[in-house]
């Protein structure tokens, strides 16, 4: 069975407490110190309801967890991050920490903070955390507990060039979890009306230097991508890279789509865009992301290259998602554009859009349904 990430429920309290205690004991603390720790440190239903707690499970059994909470205007507190001894050194702690970064971006926070175990300072330092202070350790008299932070950089950058190619390799995640992926897709079809198992491209290697985004993609089934997405992106070597069309009206507003209930992203709000697929490949095996943006623009809004003035190309790094976007300026006002796009969407068989959300100022970004990369693009483009 694959590794999966999922939100914790109150029923997980006991097993997460066991993981907390066994992981702490694996550092070799004296028995009397561990007895005190077990007495005072418990994961309760209240803990789970008051924090954003993520469980990592393998073969249906919890093997690790993290607990996160917003702290002030700009900080995400990593209150818990523990991996059961039998699951340590398998990259699960790294994965949970990466998803903590994603959570911070989703909440619009720019700083991660934690108090590390005396023995885990080096682990967090390798992940880019800096020690800003220390306090005496109750568990190891004479030693200290490091207080650590990591400031997150802007996820949005200007792009000068894109060079993506197709790899002949198969996606190891898809091959290793073939049966579970099929089962997951069959269940998903019962919930999602507009769902079919086509082919898609997923990024498995990339670099971004000097404004040039280079990488390689592998072809996989949409079912494999959907399982990977729904299971918390457990393969951290893969990314969902896709194109976005950012529409800017004559009165300076941005227009994002509200996805219809029968789509795989029901209720989510983001710019027109979609997954890359084999039709986006050139004869030389290059992935035409900009061409895919124009394709999605026309398919979702009815607009084409003649209707828009092409502007800058941007990229947003959003955890397992990487969106490459082109800004398109139009000479129509936002409300007029909204009505035009919805008339087009309602005339199509798919009817992917439930509405168009008009974003005029940063206060319009408070809706949690706005996907984090879309919020990041808007913050980059809208005046402060």
């Amino acid at each position: 069975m694959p590794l999966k990430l999922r939100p914790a429920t109150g029923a997980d309290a006991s097993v997460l407490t066991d993981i907390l205690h066994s992981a702490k004991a694996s550092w070799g603390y004296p028995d009397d110190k561990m007895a005190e720790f077990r007495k005072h440190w418990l994961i309760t239903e209240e803990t789970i309801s008051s924090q954003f707690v993520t469980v990592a499970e393998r073969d249906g059994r919890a093997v690790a967890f993290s607990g996160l909470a917003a702290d002030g205007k700009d900080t995400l507190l990593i209150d818990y991050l523990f991996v059961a001894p039998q699951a340590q050194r398998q990259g699960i702690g790294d994965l949970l920490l990466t998803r903590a970064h994603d959570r911070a971006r989703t909440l619009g926070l720019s700083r991660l903070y934690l108090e590390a175990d005396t023995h885990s300072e080096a682990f967090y330092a390798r992940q880019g955390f800096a020690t800003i202070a220390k306090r005496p350790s109750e568990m190891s008299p004479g030693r200290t507990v490091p207080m650590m932070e990591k400031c997150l950089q802007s996820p949005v950058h200007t792009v000068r060039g894109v060079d993506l190619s197709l790899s002949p390799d198969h996606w190891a995640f898809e091959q290793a979890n073939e049966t579970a992926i099929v089962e997951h897709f069959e269940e998903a079809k019962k919930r999602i009306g507009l769902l079919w198992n086509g082919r898609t491209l997923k990024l498995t290697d990339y670099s971004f230097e000097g404004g040039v985004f280079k990488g390689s993609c592998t072809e996989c089934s949409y079912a494999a991508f959907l399982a990977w997405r729904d299971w918390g992106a457990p393969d951290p070597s893969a990314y969902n890279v896709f194109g976005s069309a950012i529409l800017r009206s004559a009165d300076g507003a941005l227009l994002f789509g509200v996805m219809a209930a029968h789509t795989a992203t029901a209720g989510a709000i983001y710019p027109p865009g979609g997954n890359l697929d084999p039709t986006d490949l050139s004869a030389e095996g290059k992935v035409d992301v900009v061409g895919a943006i124009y394709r999605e623009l026309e398919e979702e809004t009815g607009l084409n290259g003649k209707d828009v003035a092409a502007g800058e190309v941007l990229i947003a790094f959003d955890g397992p998602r990487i969106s490459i976007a082109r800004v398109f300026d139009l000479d129509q006002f936002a409300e007029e554009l909204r009505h035009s796009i919805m008339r087009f969407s309602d005339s199509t068989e798919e009817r992917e859009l439930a509405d168009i959300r008009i974003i005029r100022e940063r206060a319009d970004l408070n809706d949690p349904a706005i996907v984090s990369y879309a919020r990041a693009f808007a913050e980059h483009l809208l005046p402060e």
Side-chain angles (χ1 to χ4, degrees):
M1 290 288 289
L3 179 71
K4 298 181 182 180
L5 303 185
R6 62 168 176 83
T9 69
D12 294 310
S14 177
V15 68
L16 298 189
T17 296
D18 290 342
I19 291 173
L20 170 66
H21 292 168
S22 62
K24 195 74 172 180
S26 69
W27 291 116
Y29 289 113
D31 290 344
D32 60 328
K33 295 295 183 182
M34 280 306 307
E36 284 295 311
F37 184 86
R38 292 188 181 97
K39 179 179 178 181
H40 294 290
W41 288 90
L42 305 169
I43 303 300
T44 65
E45 291 187 18
E46 182 180 0
T47 307
I48 293 170
S49 64
S50 64
Q51 296 194 4
F52 184 80
V53 180
T54 298
V55 178
E57 61 180 21
R58 177 168 280 145
D59 299 328
R61 299 183 61 181
V63 295
F65 74 98
S66 63
L68 314 172
D71 184 17
K73 293 191 301 182
D74 65 350
T75 299
L76 182 70
L77 171 66
I78 303 176
D79 209 10
Y80 299 94
L81 201 163
F82 289 91
V83 181
Q86 71 273 16
Q88 291 175 4
R89 303 185 186 282
Q90 298 174 23
I92 300 174
D94 299 62
L95 179 61
L96 286 170
L97 193 57
T98 297
R99 300 298 167 249
H101 286 67
D102 303 343
R103 179 64 178 173
R105 295 202 188 283
T106 297
L107 296 175
L109 305 175
S110 59
R111 177 177 177 261
L112 299 172
Y113 174 82
L114 58 87
E115 292 192 10
D117 187 278
T118 298
H119 301 276
S120 61
E121 184 175 11
F123 165 76
Y124 289 109
R126 288 194 299 271
Q127 305 295 328
F129 283 77
T131 300
I132 56 174
K134 294 189 176 185
R135 64 171 177 80
S137 169
E138 296 90 353
M139 299 291 289
S140 294
R143 301 190 67 176
T144 58
V145 170
M147 288 169 264
M148 309 184 75
E149 70 173 6
K150 182 176 181 178
C151 295
L152 304 180
Q153 303 299 314
S154 171
V156 177
H157 306 269
T158 300
V159 175
R160 293 195 302 106
V162 177
D163 183 8
L164 294 181
S165 57
L166 180 66
S167 168
D169 298 331
H170 295 289
W171 189 13
F173 170 84
E174 181 175 22
Q175 292 182 312
N177 301 292
E178 184 176 359
T179 301
I181 287 169
V182 171
E183 293 173 353
H184 179 80
F185 193 74
E186 290 303 312
E187 287 299 314
K189 287 196 295 186
K190 299 175 184 177
R191 298 180 283 105
I192 304 170
L194 191 63
L195 192 63
W196 66 285
N197 192 17
R199 305 297 292 174
T200 185
L201 305 179
K202 291 294 154 271
L203 187 72
T204 51
D205 180 60
Y206 79 88
S207 65
F208 184 61
E209 298 177 2
V212 178
F213 185 75
K214 295 183 178 181
S216 58
C217 296
T218 186
E219 184 179 338
C220 67
S221 68
Y222 186 80
F225 158 68
L226 190 68
W228 173 83
R229 187 199 74 176
D230 292 350
W231 296 343
D235 175 6
S237 67
Y239 300 85
N240 181 27
V241 63
F242 55 94
S244 296
I246 301 178
L247 303 180
R248 185 163 54 193
S249 65
D251 47 342
L254 306 178
L255 286 83
F256 291 169
V258 182
M259 300 308 294
H262 56 273
T263 66
T265 52
I269 302 173
Y270 53 85
N275 286 292
L276 301 172
D277 64 48
T279 66
D280 298 314
L281 291 170
S282 70
E284 296 76 27
K286 295 293 185 179
V287 183
D288 183 6
V289 180
V290 174
I293 293 173
Y294 279 94
R295 170 173 56 80
E296 292 288 345
L297 172 69
E298 187 162 5
E299 289 179 359
E300 290 192 30
T301 70
L303 299 167
N304 59 45
K306 297 178 181 179
D307 302 314
V308 298
E312 63 183 326
V313 178
L314 303 172
I315 190 167
F317 294 94
D318 185 23
R321 292 180 294 222
I322 300 176
S323 179
I324 299 172
R326 171 146 256 167
V327 180
F328 293 111
D329 288 299
L330 296 100
D331 57 7
Q332 297 168 278
F333 290 109
E335 286 292 350
E336 181 184 357
L337 275 170
R338 174 181 172 272
H339 290 300
S340 174
I341 293 170
M342 288 310 302
R343 281 196 302 271
F344 172 80
S345 181
D346 289 342
S347 72
T348 65
E349 182 179 354
E350 294 81 4
R351 301 184 69 178
E352 291 186 62
L353 299 178
D355 200 358
I356 290 291
R357 180 66 57 85
I358 297 174
I359 309 294
R360 297 187 183 276
E361 55 188 31
R362 293 186 175 217
D364 296 331
L365 298 171
N366 293 331
D367 190 333
I370 299 175
V371 181
S372 48
Y373 75 86
R375 181 181 295 108
F377 279 138
E379 290 175 344
H380 179 82
L381 292 167
L382 291 171
E384 294 196 27

